[in-house]
Amino acid sequence: MSKRIDVSDLNVYYSDFLAVEDVNITLDAKSVTAFIGPSGCGKSTFLRTLNRMHEVIPGARVEGKVLLDGDNLYADGVDPVTVRSQIGMVFQRPNPFPTMSIRDNVLAGVKLNSRRMPKSDADELVEKSLRGANLWNEVKDRLGKPGSGLSGGQQQRLCIARAIAVSPEVILMDEPCSALDPISTLAIEDLINELKDEYTVVIVTHNMQQAARVSDKTAFFNIAGTGKPGKLIEFAETATIFNNPSQKSTEDYVSGRFG
Amino acid sequence: MSIITKPAPKAGTRQAGPGRAGDKVFSGAALGAGVLIVVVLFAVAMFLVIQALPTFSAAPGDITGGKGFASYIFPIVVGTLIAAAIALVIATPIGIAVALFISHYAPRGMARGLGYVVDLLAAIPSVIYGAWGATFLAAQLKVPYQWLADNLGWIPIFGGPASGTGKTILTAGIVLAVMVLPIIASLAREIFLQAPMLHQEAALALGATRWEMIRMAVLPFARGGIISAVMLGLGRALGETMAVALVLSSGPLIASLIRSGNQTIAAEIALDFPEAFGLRLSELIAAGLVLFLITLLVNMVARWIISRHKEFSGAN
Ligand SMILES: Nc1ncnc2c1ncn2[C@@H]1O[C@H](COP(=O)(O)OP(=O)(O)O)[C@@H](O)[C@H]1O
Ligand SMILES: [Mg+2]
């Protein structure tokens, strides 16, 4: 239930604009990898290429390879819909479906794949996913209520529950805490620590303490100037990136000198 | 509310004067406009009621048909509803499909072109649609109607003999459908375009196909808006006079949609009003009042449907 991702020679475009250039990186299974870097350097853009969400934007395209345990996600004949059902995503702003109950939100992805599911199985899956997202105790008495009635942090955990309900191989998170208060942020960080026992987790964050707290490895992206493509500058164990980086710009960034 | 009305401390000294005067002028104007609308509506309603009164107090024998107002109005109310129902049954699914195609399937350039075309269609005057329906469409439909009468004639709505001119309530309903289609399509498109990207991406990221994404994140969001769009279309279909008057060769109420016969309130008023006087005039105004009530009722039902799902609308 957890796979490795190998990215080779990846260029990411918005129409003619090269947003991210020549990324080569390996994201280990059952580990947390953090992407850090100044805003606009292409962290979100790169993250969205890992589950083929990038191409949802008109004119957006990708060159290069992304291998999920050896299978190229961008090979001819690969259906992006299948890719996305294997690689879950949690967004910057919590986005539970407002027209669905909490229960239906959790089941939203599952219902896409298997039309009919016995109610007892569904109940079990809802409980398991919500427990997995540390949300069960808070919502077990109001599963039929709309998800939009929860607090921001709860909504974000609901989105995580929705993502893990389909048993993905990988979970991508794009600044999942940036819209949350410190306490909700801690709850999510604890959760990320638990998730890596089962999933490959990739998290974009602008908060360096967060990267240091939750990740095993950290990738630093940077951009030479506006209009220039973002690049992967350095990728190493999180401790190395923060204490002993090999690149000058990494050191400048993690020590808070820019960005 | 208090956040909006309380002046910010810093801006207070600089902007308070003109800002407050502007607020007062605007709220005065808004209030005035609101009151005016209510007054005008009330005046219209009063006028209709007063003019219609003689009809309700007249002896049943004096009313057209000779059996009182209820049996006069009933067939044309039913005719109105049939024509409008045909129009909506045809126009709603097509309008929604066209809107979805423009908002979520067509390439950008094509979407813009189609959008213009739809808006243009909505602006064509109804007499043009009526002329088209009467001279072209009715003639084209003669053969299909004959076929329906021959093959499905055992169903009462397709009972023969089929009209020799094609000027039937079904033709009128189809013309109405063509007229309300652009209204529904263009409003629905606006609403589909406003569906939050956030939720559409959430659906796609779960592995939804485009159609599944539309079902999860676009249609539920657009539900209230679609109902409003259909209601506006229905309003036009119920009140349409010229097109129906031109297309329908009217007659008494009959079940068959492919024979000449039936009539709508609006067309009846349009056709008879110029020569009407006295009690007949009052009758037509009473008929107008009934149409007014039907429209009101339909709108109230629509509002009720929309409000029933407020909790899950995403507004909170
Ligand atoms: N939808 C888009 N269309 C065109 N350019 C975009 C779009 N989204 C992002 N970009 C550009 O791509 C670059 C990287 O953006 P992004 O991936 O959002 O950076 P980050 O997440 O690191 O802040 C920026 O220059 C940004 O302007
Ligand atoms: Mg970003």
Side-chain angles (χ1 to χ4, degrees):
Chain A
M1 283 244 294
S2 139
K3 289 185 176 173
R4 194 183 76 222
I5 295 183
D6 296 284
V7 178
S8 49
D9 308 326
L10 197 80
N11 292 315
V12 192
Y13 296 86
Y14 289 102
S15 301
D16 294 331
F17 172 58
L18 178 58
V20 178
E21 186 176 24
D22 198 27
V23 177
N24 290 279
I25 194 171
T26 293
L27 311 172
D28 296 329
K30 298 200 178 189
S31 74
V32 179
T33 306
F35 293 172
I36 61 170
S39 80
C41 69
K43 305 178 297 290
S44 302
T45 303
F46 175 58
L47 189 78
R48 289 165 59 97
T49 63
L50 301 181
N51 67 342
R52 297 192 61 170
M53 277 300 284
H54 177 63
E55 63 208 66
V56 166
I57 295 160
R61 64 199 165 84
V62 171
E63 289 167 358
K65 279 190 200 164
V66 177
L67 306 182
L68 181 67
D69 265 7
D71 299 323
N72 187 4
L73 303 183
Y74 286 94
D76 288 343
V78 174
D79 186 354
V81 168
T82 320
V83 172
R84 292 177 202 139
S85 63
Q86 289 174 33
I87 303 181
M89 186 161 215
V90 177
F91 294 79
Q92 191 163 350
R93 279 181 54 203
N95 56 359
F97 297 114
T99 50
M100 292 184 195
S101 66
I102 292 172
R103 184 176 192 276
D104 288 343
N105 260 290
V106 176
L107 294 174
V110 192
K111 279 185 177 162
L112 291 174
N113 303 324
S114 53
R115 282 266 157 276
R116 284 270 151 244
M117 180 184 235
K119 185 167 179 306
S120 57
D121 289 9
D123 289 342
E124 211 169 288
L125 181 65
V126 168
E127 177 168 351
K128 182 171 153 245
S129 309
L130 286 171
R131 279 191 194 283
N134 292 344
L135 189 61
W136 173 251
N137 287 326
E138 291 156 69
V139 302
K140 62 171 184 260
D141 300 321
R142 45 170 165 160
L143 294 174
K145 288 264 148 36
S148 47
L150 300 173
S151 76
Q154 290 173 324
Q155 288 190 19
Q156 196 62 300
R157 278 178 283 150
L158 177 57
C159 292
I160 294 174
R162 180 175 69 186
I164 60 183
V166 293
S167 314
E169 312 288 351
V170 180
I171 299 178
L172 309 175
M173 301 187 177
D174 190 354
E175 304 197 21
C177 304
S178 65
L180 307 182
D181 60 274
I183 295 188
S184 307
T185 299
L186 271 184
I188 305 261
E189 286 181 7
D190 287 346
L191 178 55
I192 292 171
N193 264 322
E194 294 168 22
L195 288 177
K196 75 170 174 184
D197 295 340
E198 273 186 77
Y199 304 98
T200 306
V201 179
V202 186
I203 176 172
V204 172
T205 174
H206 63 256
N207 176 334
M208 280 178 278
Q209 287 77 29
Q210 182 169 69
R213 281 193 298 265
V214 302
S215 68
D216 302 302
K217 284 189 171 178
T218 297
F220 171 62
F221 289 80
N222 202 359
I223 187 172
T226 43
K228 300 266 173 44
K231 288 185 178 170
L232 173 61
I233 303 297
E234 189 169 355
F235 177 50
E237 297 291 330
T238 297
T240 312
I241 291 283
F242 282 95
N243 302 324
N244 190 18
S246 63
Q247 300 289 321
K248 178 80 170 59
S249 60
T250 313
E251 187 178 345
D252 287 350
Y253 184 75
V254 298
S255 60
R257 250 168 279 181
F258 79 99
Chain B
M1 283 324 260
S2 61
I3 301 168
I4 299 164
T5 48
K6 223 183 265 170
K10 256 184 282 171
T13 46
R14 192 164 45 87
Q15 276 189 343
R20 279 189 190 156
D23 275 356
K24 270 185 194 147
V25 169
F26 181 75
S27 75
L31 181 71
V35 169
L36 188 70
I37 287 174
V38 173
V39 167
V40 167
L41 245 180
F42 185 74
V44 169
M46 280 317 290
F47 168 83
L48 286 177
V49 169
I50 291 170
Q51 296 286 309
L53 272 181
T55 305
F56 300 119
S57 52
D62 295 340
I63 302 286
T64 307
K67 290 189 205 114
F69 184 68
S71 45
Y72 162 70
I73 198 74
F74 177 74
I76 58 176
V77 166
V78 175
T80 305
L81 295 180
I82 292 175
I86 294 171
L88 287 191
V89 165
I90 298 172
T92 303
I94 300 180
I96 291 174
V98 168
L100 271 180
F101 181 74
I102 295 175
S103 67
H104 283 81
Y105 285 90
R108 268 191 194 169
M110 190 185 188
R112 188 163 318 135
L114 270 174
Y116 281 134
V117 171
V118 168
D119 287 344
L120 260 178
L121 282 177
I124 294 178
S126 58
V127 68
I128 308 274
Y129 282 111
W132 168 77
T135 56
F136 176 77
L137 185 67
Q140 300 301 308
L141 289 173
K142 274 188 287 191
V143 175
Y145 286 169
Q146 189 57 53
W147 185 90
L148 281 173
D150 292 343
N151 294 283
L152 298 172
W154 49 274
I155 307 174
I157 57 170
F158 297 130
S163 157
T165 58
K167 293 185 167 188
T168 72
I169 190 96
L170 185 53
T171 311
I174 294 172
V175 171
L176 287 176
V178 176
M179 294 174 65
V180 301
L181 178 76
I183 298 179
I184 295 178
S186 112
L187 284 169
R189 176 198 55 176
E190 289 303 315
I191 293 149
F192 293 151
L193 286 174
Q194 283 167 20
M197 210 47 213
L198 204 66
H199 299 122
Q200 298 183 45
E201 291 206 328
L204 290 175
L206 282 172
T209 61
R210 199 182 325 209
W211 171 236
E212 287 166 337
M213 179 271 277
I214 287 170
R215 279 202 346 228
M216 286 166 90
V218 178
L219 293 182
F221 166 85
R223 201 171 161 281
I226 292 174
I227 294 175
S228 305
V230 171
M231 286 308 133
L232 268 177
L234 178 58
R236 180 160 192 193
L238 285 173
E240 179 50 44
T241 52
M242 225 35 230
V244 178
L246 287 173
V247 168
L248 178 63
S249 134
S250 63
L253 180 65
I254 47 166
S256 174
L257 305 179
I258 59 170
R259 289 167 58 182
S260 33
N262 295 320
Q263 177 63 309
T264 71
I265 298 177
E268 170 108 343
I269 296 174
L271 287 175
D272 292 4
F273 205 82
E275 281 116 54
F277 57 90
L279 188 57
R280 178 71 183 130
L281 188 63
S282 168
E283 256 175 44
L284 290 177
I285 290 174
L289 195 62
V290 171
L291 184 59
F292 180 74
L293 290 178
I294 293 175
T295 317
L296 209 65
L297 196 73
V298 160
N299 271 298
M300 277 160 55
V301 170
R303 276 186 191 286
W304 175 72
I305 296 175
I306 294 170
S307 70
R308 230 171 23 141
H309 279 254
K310 227 175 213 136
E311 196 185 18
F312 285 89
S313 71
N316 45 0

